[in-house]
């Protein structure tokens, strides 16, 4: 009994101290982000690794998610004789939910884990200590480009995901089910609003980008300097980020209605 | 050097594609109107707009020529609807605007009937003749009431 309570206490303390560490880490990252040298070459490298290499998975997933939405939406809407609003259903669900959330989840698995593993290996092989010895701040040199570019890349990939998804829905609704192409596009354009839907979607994607960037780099930076430590940190990145994306998603939607 | 060029090229391509998608979603799908001022801004006052929304199409003879830009209550508690139509249109000033429904339960939109006068509406002017939206429930209610009074 005492042990059980003590276990809960220990976990709570660990959680709170973790939260404190990540806040301090995030604060140092923000300070580093506004301190000059920006190191364009490193930033480009990161866009390439995080963004360009994730393109394939994002586009294919977007297309298939859009096609599934088209199919499911069509089959459901037909029951109510409302299949002309398929464009609105596909576009709104992609823009408001699937685009940012699926992109963030895929990006966590594709790029977040790699980021943690990369920084974690640097910790394990004492490369960060080497940087510190040369009085180079590892947060500025290693962490900053990764976190910043994650923030940039997530909305871009989310936009690509949505456009591919709409194309997928269009393929199903128009090419396969024989719906009218003009109706599909008109119902989409009449129901999607810029401020409420599109801007909110990118706000969401940006927030998820910050979340992935922060958690992935923090887990790598604070990992145990052993191979087991790197693997635990990578796992923890995927789990923590995925769960917090879904939780944040609910609260962003509930509080701001996007 | 060649490797770096390839990387830069791919990154550039990726960023451009992403920005292109954002622009498409914002302008075409999301419909940010570019306030060029080329359109003809008019307004009309209705007793009942019942479900008309901003960005609903404005049509002449079934062809979309503009959209609703704003709906608000005026001083006399009637609905003032701002619309913007293609600037090249010459609408006689006795034209009328009606709120109609696409299908039985479809979206509301505005249709313009052209008048016969030789003077044309200028930007910022009011379309004086309007026909309000029909509220289906009221119509059904009226019908039922009439049926009941007939039976007596």
């Amino acid at each position: 009994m005492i042990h059980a309570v003590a276990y809960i206490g220990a976990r709570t303390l660990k959680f709170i101290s973790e939260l404190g560490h990540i806040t301090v880490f995030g604060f140092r990252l923000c300070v580093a982000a506004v301190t000059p040298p920006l190191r364009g070459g490193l930033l480009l490298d990161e866009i390439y690794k995080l963004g360009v290499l994730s393109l394939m998975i994002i586009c294919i997933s977007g297309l298939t998610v859009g096609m599934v939405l088209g199919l499911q939406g069509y089959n459901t809407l037909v029951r109510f004789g409302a299949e002309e609003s398929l464009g609105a259903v596909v576009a709104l669900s992609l823009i408001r939910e699937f685009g940012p959330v699926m992109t963030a989840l895929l990006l966590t698995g594709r790029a977040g884990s790699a980021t943690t593993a990369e920084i974690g290996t640097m910790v394990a092989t004492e490369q960060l200590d080497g940087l510190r010895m040369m009085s180079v701040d590892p947060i500025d040199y290693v962490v900053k480009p990764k976190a910043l570019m994650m923030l940039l890349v997530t909305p871009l990939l989310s936009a690509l995901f949505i456009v591919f998804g709409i194309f997928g829905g269009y393929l199903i609704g128009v090419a396969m089910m024989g719906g009218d192409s003009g109706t599909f596009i008109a119902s989409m354009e009449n129901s999607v609003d810029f401020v409420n839907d599109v801007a909110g979607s990118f706000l969401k994607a940006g927030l998820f980008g910050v979340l992935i960037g922060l958690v992935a780099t923090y887990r790598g930076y604070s990992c145990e300097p052993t191979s087991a430590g790197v693997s635990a940190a990578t796992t923890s990145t995927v789990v923590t980020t995925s769960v917090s994306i879904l939780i944040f998603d609910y609260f962003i939607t509930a509080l701001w209605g996007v | 050097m060649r490797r770096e060029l390839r990387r830069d090229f791919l990154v550039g391509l990726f960023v451009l594609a992403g920005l292109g998608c954002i622009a498409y979603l914002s302008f075409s799908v999301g419909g940010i109107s570019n306030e060029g001022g080329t359109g003809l801004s008019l307004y009309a006052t209705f007793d009942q707009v019942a479900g008309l929304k901003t960005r609903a199409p404005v049509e002449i003879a079934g062809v979309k020529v503009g959209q609703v830009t704003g709906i608000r209550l005026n001083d006399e508690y009637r609905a003032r609807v701002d619309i913007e139509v293609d600037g090249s249109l010459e609408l006689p000033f006795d034209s009328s605007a009606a709120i109609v429904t696409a299908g039985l339960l479809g979206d509301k939109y505005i249709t313009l009937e052209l008048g016969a006068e030789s003077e044309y509406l200028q930007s910022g002017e009011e379309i004086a003749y309007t026909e309000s939206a029909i509220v289906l429930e009221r119509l059904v209610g009226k019908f039922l009431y009439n049926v009941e009074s007939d039976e007596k």
Side-chain angles (χ1 to χ4, degrees), chain A residues 22 25-26 29-30 104 107 146-155 202-218 241 244-245 248:
Chain A
I22 202 165
F25 180 81
L29 190 57
C30 289
L107 206 57
K146 291 183 193 303
L148 275 187
M149 289 306 106
M150 194 65 98
L151 167 62
L152 174 83
V153 151
T154 320
F202 294 129
L203 177 83
K204 241 183 196 178
L207 277 173
F208 293 157
V210 172
L211 195 69
I212 304 173
L214 190 62
V215 174
T217 50
Y218 171 74
T241 317
S244 30
I245 282 169
F248 269 70

Side-chain angles (χ1 to χ4, degrees), chain A residues 191-208:
Chain A
S191 59
V192 178
D193 181 57
F194 176 73
V195 179
N196 288 327
D197 304 319
V198 180
S201 162
F202 294 129
L203 177 83
K204 241 183 196 178
L207 277 173
F208 293 157

Side-chain angles (χ1 to χ4, degrees), chain A residues 178-195:
Chain A
D180 180 51
S181 126
T183 316
F184 185 92
I185 291 178
S187 100
M188 173 174 90
E189 288 178 356
N190 284 335
S191 59
V192 178
D193 181 57
F194 176 73
V195 179

Side-chain angles (χ1 to χ4, degrees), chain A residues 12 30 34 43 98 115 121 126 133 158 175-176 238 252 258:
Chain A
T12 313
C30 289
V34 292
L43 295 183
F98 285 101
T115 303
T121 313
E126 295 171 351
M133 269 186 57
S158 166
M176 207 173 114
V238 176
I252 296 171
V258 289

Side-chain angles (χ1 to χ4, degrees), chain B residues 7 9 13 71 82-83 86-87 94 112 121 133:
Chain B
R7 178 202 70 181
F9 178 72
L13 215 59
I71 300 172
D82 294 300
I83 63 175
D86 193 343
D94 59 341
L112 299 179
L121 283 168

Side-chain angles (χ1 to χ4, degrees), chain A residues 52-233:
Chain A
V52 176
L53 295 182
S54 312
L55 267 181
M56 193 60 94
I57 182 178
I58 293 292
C59 293
I60 293 177
S61 315
L63 194 68
T64 39
V65 167
M67 286 167 77
V68 167
L69 276 176
L71 209 56
Q72 296 278 26
Y74 186 84
N75 287 337
T76 313
L77 289 172
V78 153
R79 292 189 204 175
F80 308 108
E83 60 268 33
E84 66 267 25
S85 5
L86 182 65
V89 171
V90 169
L92 278 179
S93 20
L94 277 166
I95 290 174
R96 296 180 65 104
E97 273 308 320
F98 285 101
V101 174
M102 290 288 290
T103 305
L105 290 178
L106 289 168
L107 206 57
T108 305
R110 169 69 189 73
S113 57
T115 303
T116 307
E118 193 181 332
I119 301 179
T121 313
M122 287 180 172
V123 172
T125 52
E126 295 171 351
Q127 293 181 47
L128 293 191
D129 293 330
L131 283 177
R132 281 196 196 95
M133 269 186 57
M134 296 187 287
S135 84
V136 175
D137 181 9
I139 290 198
D140 189 56
Y141 191 78
V142 178
V143 172
K144 182 172 88 176
K146 291 183 193 303
L148 275 187
M149 289 306 106
M150 194 65 98
L151 167 62
L152 174 83
V153 151
T154 320
L156 291 178
L157 287 174
S158 166
L160 278 161
F161 186 97
I162 294 169
V163 169
F164 269 81
I166 290 175
F167 177 66
Y170 181 88
L171 275 185
I172 294 295
V174 176
M176 207 173 114
M177 298 302 186
D180 180 51
S181 126
T183 316
F184 185 92
I185 291 178
S187 100
M188 173 174 90
E189 288 178 356
N190 284 335
S191 59
V192 178
D193 181 57
F194 176 73
V195 179
N196 288 327
D197 304 319
V198 180
S201 162
F202 294 129
L203 177 83
K204 241 183 196 178
L207 277 173
F208 293 157
V210 172
L211 195 69
I212 304 173
L214 190 62
V215 174
T217 50
Y218 171 74
R219 288 295 188 204
Y221 189 79
S222 65
C223 91
E224 296 273 320
T226 57
S227 8
V230 176
S231 100

